[in-house]
Amino acid sequence: THRQSGAATKTPSTVTIRGHTCKTDPEWFNIPDNVLDSATRRLHLQKDHPVYITRQIIQANFPTPTFKYHNDFSPVVTTRQNFDSLGFPADHPGRARSDTYYINDTTLLRTHTSAHQAETFRANESDGYLISADVYRRDAIDRSHYPAFHQMEGARQWDRDEVPGGDVAAAVLRDLETLPKHDVIVEDPNPPWHAERNPVQDQHHTNAEAEAIGAHLKRSLENMVVDVFSRAKAAAKRADPNFVDEPLRMRWVEAYFPFTSPSWELEVYYAGDWLEVLGCGVVKQDLYINAGVSSKLGWAFGIGIDRIAMLLFKIPDIRLFWSRDDRFISQFTGVSDDLEKLKLFAPFSKYPPSPRDVSFWLKASTSSAAGGNVKNVFHENDIMELVRNIAGDVVEDVRLIDEFTHPKTGRKSMAYRIVYRSLERTLTTEEANKYHDNVRRALVAELGVELR
Ligand code: FA5
Ligand code: MG
């Protein structure tokens, strides 16, 4: 079988993750040591860490007792929790070993906090919940992507059997009236639902219900983002009374998730670009039905906590959260106990980048399935992880800069630019060359490419 790059060269027979020991399957196990190390950190529970502080601020926007908080669910979950319970089809790309870290065929590191939706609906302990947790994905390498990150899941539901006259839409609209209003301009050009692109679950919900739930969801999340930004602005003003920030800009985009409909993503304008910060939607009724609470209906969201923390503290690179450098961590001391002490991150360095390019021919296999045509076997996440395994947090960005297919042979050539840059010191030319040589060698050894 094809061995995923990035898997430890020798699979241990068991792994223990936060006290939970599992048997590995060498055909499936693909978790490198750096990711296993990340699973020990629990940054969202480390007092005064920016991920912890950001969790605190998001939580404060969804108060108890309406929302019950869960902050310590195990990252080791089943394929049933992470995918099946949420209606992911059997062939969904998210299930692939190129995208997900597996321990064995049915056990994996959760790729999102939604893995806990079904059991939390079933527990039925409150009208809503928040789940914060570390999550894991094989993914791109750049300043806003890291193989381990943190999400906050939130959900709010109403019970048909408990609202006056069984009128959920009216009850939700009454609750919406009690939410604070903000005066930030939000771009939301799409209709509240769309028959083809973003349908109402019309077997279960009226249009009025879906619209009311969507409106309550959007306002709740906008208020949270406005709160985060006003805290960031206040911090900047404490440091410099003349500080003038760019006005906050947000926009809603239609989205798709197997477990919500209609669905949206919220983007925030940051450093010259739109940054996606969360996904959300009206919960698919099958989730409530399967959880034994079929009279409920409501919304759910999943936020990237690290992304919000970057906006809040103006942290330029997601790798910084994992830094043990005192120049980073000491900047936040005391903030958890007194949010008025919040300060923007003061960059302690801008060390020079060391970009290096590599180009290669993909390994070509002529398969009969492809009708005798050349098939180029390749998944970009394999490159990402190979580079991350060699350079660790010294890699800042990996991107495709060129690709073409040879007109005669059908072979594919690709060129990547890898930017090496330490957050903590200047890399010497020799060090950067050494990382890059090792990457080149591993590309040949593990992915079978031919260097150009
Ligand atoms: C999800 O994970 C859905 N579970 C969200 C959801 C929950 C939808 C409940 C509906 C209902 P998505 O893959 O878009 O969706 O990720 C959610 C957020 O996680 C993103 O918006 C982003 O802020 C963050 N995120 C995703 N990948 C990374 C990464 N590699 N590094 C840092 N943050 C990431
Ligand atoms: Mg998304």
Side-chain angles (χ1 to χ4, degrees):
T1 55
H2 168 64
R3 174 153 210 117
Q4 297 289 328
S5 80
T9 39
K10 206 160 159 269
T11 302
S13 60
T14 63
V15 283
T16 302
I17 295 168
R18 300 227 284 264
H20 189 124
T21 301
C22 299
K23 252 181 100 102
T24 60
D25 176 345
E27 301 247 324
W28 284 84
F29 185 77
N30 64 348
I31 314 178
D33 288 342
N34 59 325
V35 171
L36 287 172
D37 285 344
S38 302
T40 65
R41 299 285 294 276
R42 299 201 297 172
L43 302 179
H44 64 295
L45 300 178
Q46 181 183 318
K47 202 169 172 193
D48 288 341
H49 191 283
V51 172
Y52 177 108
I53 297 162
T54 306
R55 172 181 64 78
Q56 259 187 307
I57 293 172
I58 301 172
Q59 258 180 216
N61 281 273
F62 298 95
T64 53
T66 306
F67 293 87
K68 184 178 156 110
Y69 305 152
H70 304 272
N71 294 327
D72 206 9
F73 285 146
S74 169
V76 178
V77 300
T78 59
T79 43
R80 182 172 173 75
Q81 287 172 292
N82 202 80
F83 298 121
D84 304 316
S85 71
L86 293 159
F88 278 83
D91 61 352
H92 191 278
R95 295 183 187 250
R97 274 174 286 178
S98 55
D99 288 47
T100 296
Y101 292 113
Y102 281 90
I103 296 170
N104 57 48
D105 61 340
T106 54
T107 319
L108 52 93
L109 295 181
R110 70 183 149 223
T111 64
H112 54 175
T113 41
S114 302
H116 303 289
Q117 271 191 22
E119 65 213 58
T120 314
F121 285 139
R122 179 171 293 279
N124 193 18
E125 294 169 324
S126 53
D127 291 338
Y129 60 74
L130 290 184
I131 301 166
S132 72
D134 42 328
V135 303
Y136 300 84
R137 289 184 197 177
R138 294 179 101 234
D139 211 333
I141 296 185
D142 63 34
R143 287 158 193 237
S144 60
H145 289 82
Y146 200 79
F149 59 102
H150 302 81
Q151 284 188 338
M152 175 83 84
E153 188 90 359
R156 172 82 162 91
Q157 52 279 349
W158 289 265
D159 194 323
R160 274 192 208 290
D161 297 341
E162 280 168 25
V163 300
D167 189 346
V168 176
V172 175
L173 290 176
R174 272 195 304 279
D175 285 341
L176 175 61
E177 278 309 302
T178 69
L179 295 178
K181 294 189 173 65
H182 64 76
D183 53 15
V184 173
I185 297 171
V186 181
E187 296 173 34
D188 192 3
N190 292 301
W193 49 269
H194 185 280
E196 286 89 42
R197 296 191 312 258
N198 216 3
V200 173
Q201 303 166 53
D202 49 19
Q203 295 192 328
H204 301 290
H205 304 157
T206 64
N207 292 344
E209 284 170 340
E211 267 189 66
I213 292 170
H216 189 277
L217 167 64
K218 286 177 174 176
R219 174 86 66 76
S220 304
L221 290 166
E222 288 165 11
N223 283 343
M224 183 276 295
V225 173
V226 170
D227 179 42
V228 166
F229 269 78
S230 63
R231 288 174 190 279
K233 195 165 179 174
K237 280 220 190 287
R238 279 193 293 276
D240 170 9
N242 296 321
F243 174 81
V244 212
D245 205 358
E246 271 185 78
L248 170 60
R249 290 171 66 193
M250 290 185 262
R251 72 175 184 199
W252 287 103
V253 225
E254 289 175 340
Y256 172 80
F257 300 100
F259 40 95
T260 52
S261 193
S263 309
W264 304 276
E265 285 178 340
L266 180 62
E267 299 182 344
V268 173
Y269 199 74
Y270 178 63
D273 216 344
W274 290 100
L275 179 70
E276 179 200 316
V277 295
L278 63 88
C280 64
V282 178
V283 174
K284 287 264 180 90
Q285 204 58 33
D286 280 345
L287 267 103
Y288 297 120
I289 296 169
N290 295 338
V293 290
S294 54
S295 60
K296 308 265 179 181
L297 58 165
W299 51 246
F301 65 75
I303 300 178
I305 304 181
D306 314 60
R307 297 259 179 101
I308 300 282
M310 291 173 81
L311 303 173
L312 174 61
F313 293 96
K314 298 219 182 331
I315 291 177
D317 191 307
I318 197 163
R319 287 175 295 165
L320 279 160
F321 295 123
W322 302 88
S323 171
R324 289 182 161 103
D325 191 320
D326 203 49
R327 288 173 298 175
F328 177 72
I329 217 69
S330 67
Q331 293 195 26
F332 313 100
T333 308
V335 177
S336 296
D337 286 331
D338 181 3
L339 290 174
E340 298 292 308
K341 287 196 181 135
L342 194 147
K343 289 192 295 256
L344 301 190
F345 172 60
F348 46 80
S349 72
K350 254 232 140 84
Y351 301 105
S354 309
R356 298 284 185 282
D357 295 351
V358 58
S359 45
F360 48 82
W361 294 107
L362 289 186
K363 180 162 97 182
S365 68
T366 314
S367 78
S368 50
N373 289 329
V374 170
K375 201 170 141 238
N376 295 293
V377 205
F378 174 74
H379 195 296
E380 184 161 276
N381 284 345
D382 291 344
I383 294 225
M384 299 294 169
E385 191 151 279
L386 181 150
V387 179
R388 185 83 79 185
N389 289 343
I390 286 165
D393 286 353
V394 164
V395 57
E396 175 176 282
D397 196 274
V398 177
R399 74 183 58 190
L400 184 66
I401 51 174
D402 190 36
E403 76 183 302
F404 75 94
T405 304
H406 193 283
K408 291 231 174 67
T409 64
R411 286 182 84 190
K412 195 166 174 190
S413 162
M414 311 192 94
Y416 278 88
R417 175 155 303 156
I418 304 173
V419 178
Y420 302 93
R421 166 158 38 190
S422 166
L423 295 164
E424 281 145 21
R425 66 206 166 76
T426 299
L427 293 183
T428 63
T429 306
E430 293 72 34
E431 279 176 297
N433 288 347
K434 186 151 188 234
Y435 282 125
H436 198 59
D437 277 348
N438 288 338
V439 165
R440 289 167 59 88
R441 256 193 278 279
L443 283 168
V444 174
E446 294 180 33
L447 300 187
V449 308
E450 186 188 323
L451 297 174
R452 303 189 57 199

